[in-house]
Amino acid sequence: MDMNTTRRQIMAGLAALLSAPSFSVAAAADAKAARKPSRLRVGDTVGLIEPASASDEPFQLQLVEEAILAMGLKPKRAAHLLDRYGYLAGQDKDRAADINAMFADKDIKAIFAVRGGWGSARLLPYLDWNIIRANPKLLTGFSDITALHMAIAAKGGFVTLHGPNAGSAWGKASWDMYREIAFDAGTPTFTNPMGTEDRMAQRQWRTRVLGSGKGKAQGKLLGGNLTVLTALVGTPYLPDFDGAILFLEDVDEAEYRIDRMLTQLGQAGILKNLKGLVFGQCTDCVNKGTSYGAFTLNDVLTQHLGGLGIPAYQGAYFGHITDQFTLPVGGIAEIDADAGTLRLLAPVVV
């Protein structure tokens, strides 16, 4: 990571952004009812946590702290940030205690997960939901952090941000979108970039309507990593998806495993009352073996999602990629499957 370049990108001026046009009465009521974290301001202190896997070496945390400083924020390490317990970043109760402490600390204005991996679901029973509900703060991260996003949506009642982890490569597009949402209380439209004139290279940026899933709809954005979300089915840590716009992504999963997980979501009743669905990037989601007549990822997604009778598309720019979108989990948005866009309909911070 070129930290000088990152600083130049991140500290480019703050732009004033217009609010989105008016939206439906139901969506407006949902947005008004939601409890909103405070927006971030230059000079704010933010907490660094590792709720899942451990970082490989302390030098990585130094780079993370430099990136946070380049955002104009002050990093504060959780007490157990450098712990290690097997492949986890410390004991479950200690990692949970770090999260509880960050939400309780009045000087901490937001919380960043340093990385994902595995382990966030293990600490959910040890979180103090009274403290968390009383102190809504932006939690930022993705991948395994989906377990925390879903649990907070179910039990906390406020918006969190599915976006780059603190240890991710924060490119200019990721930073600009994060700043617009978290600092400026903006309402961006999430549209895939077209960053090249090479028509073949543009294929990775395109979206595709899933089956008959055309049109527009409005609802609460809920979702994250497919594998992590599916593993929470049957627990008290999943929110109600009725009327929601579900967004999903994954990495390094063969087509048959995506098939298995979508089958489970369907049979668990999670897909039946959605208003819309967006499948982002599925990085390296290819069966490594040779299987004659196998379904492609496109086949699997169309089979499970293309006949839901709701706007649905795939290929949105979020997941295990560089410069991904920052999607507000619990924010009210409009999906336009034909255009391949999501539009945030109300600010998620005050």
Side-chain angles (χ1 to χ4, degrees):
M1 181 187 299
D2 183 339
M3 297 308 303
N4 289 329
T5 300
T6 302
R7 289 192 182 92
R8 287 196 298 270
Q9 292 174 346
I10 290 178
M11 295 310 294
L14 296 173
L17 297 165
L18 296 175
S19 298
S22 60
F23 50 101
S24 73
V25 173
D30 285 342
K32 184 177 181 180
R35 301 177 63 226
K36 295 183 179 181
S38 297
R39 72 178 69 194
L40 286 173
R41 293 174 170 81
V42 172
D44 280 349
T45 299
V46 298
L48 297 179
I49 59 170
E50 284 193 326
S53 297
S55 295
D56 294 333
E57 56 184 46
F59 179 63
Q60 289 183 330
L61 292 178
Q62 180 181 333
L63 293 178
V64 167
E65 288 173 328
E66 290 180 5
I68 295 295
L69 288 168
M71 296 178 187
L73 304 170
K74 299 175 183 177
K76 180 177 179 179
R77 295 186 181 189
H80 299 282
L81 197 66
L82 294 176
D83 286 7
R84 186 153 193 166
Y85 176 59
Y87 44 72
L88 300 170
Q91 298 275 358
D92 295 344
K93 289 185 178 181
D94 289 336
R95 301 195 322 280
D98 282 350
I99 295 174
N100 293 334
M102 288 297 181
F103 275 101
D105 189 339
K106 300 300 183 183
D107 293 330
I108 299 295
K109 303 305 180 184
I111 303 167
F112 285 80
V114 171
R115 60 163 299 177
W118 157 247
S120 297
R122 291 177 53 139
L123 55 77
L124 297 180
Y126 306 113
L127 294 179
D128 188 326
W129 293 105
N130 290 327
I131 289 176
I132 293 172
R133 278 191 295 268
N135 298 281
K137 298 178 184 182
L138 289 176
L139 168 71
T140 301
F142 82 110
S143 193
D144 193 68
I145 312 307
T146 295
L148 294 177
H149 291 312
M150 292 295 91
I152 291 174
K155 293 180 173 294
F158 55 88
V159 169
T160 56
L161 298 180
H162 179 281
N165 294 319
S168 301
W170 283 76
K172 184 178 186 301
S174 284
W175 162 244
D176 286 345
M177 182 168 290
Y178 185 84
R179 178 192 60 198
E180 181 176 356
I181 294 170
F183 285 73
D184 299 344
T187 53
T189 296
F190 304 94
T191 305
N192 278 20
M194 294 297 289
T196 175
E197 295 181 359
D198 186 333
R199 293 180 62 87
M200 293 300 294
Q202 284 181 10
R203 293 178 63 185
Q204 67 173 315
W205 310 88
R206 293 177 181 170
T207 59
R208 181 178 79 98
V209 173
L210 288 168
S212 60
K214 298 182 178 182
K216 297 180 180 181
Q218 296 177 0
K220 182 183 294 186
L221 274 176
L222 293 173
N225 180 266
L226 173 61
T227 299
V228 176
L229 189 152
T230 304
L232 293 176
V233 172
T235 75
Y237 303 110
L238 273 186
D240 183 358
F241 289 89
D242 286 0
I245 297 172
L246 177 63
F247 68 92
L248 298 168
E249 61 83 26
D250 222 315
V251 61
D252 199 25
E253 295 287 353
E255 296 92 341
Y256 76 90
R257 294 199 293 266
I258 300 296
D259 188 351
R260 181 178 63 208
M261 289 184 282
L262 291 177
T263 297
Q264 183 178 2
L265 292 186
Q267 294 179 356
I270 289 174
L271 303 180
K272 66 179 181 180
N273 291 321
L274 296 173
K275 285 291 185 64
L277 188 144
V278 182
F279 200 99
Q281 302 295 309
C282 205
T283 306
D284 295 328
C285 291
V286 178
N287 191 342
K288 301 302 191 294
T290 56
S291 180
Y292 177 76
F295 292 126
T296 67
L297 177 65
N298 287 352
D299 292 335
V300 171
L301 296 181
T302 300
Q303 289 168 10
H304 287 281
L305 309 176
L308 293 175
I310 58 174
Y313 71 95
Q314 73 176 103
Y317 214 65
F318 61 86
H320 288 69
I321 54 175
T322 301
D323 262 350
Q324 66 169 299
F325 297 156
T326 292
L327 297 177
V329 180
I332 307 301
E334 179 180 80
I335 179 176
D336 185 335
D338 301 288
T341 63
L342 287 170
R343 180 167 63 94
L344 191 61
L345 296 180
V348 298
V349 293
V350 292

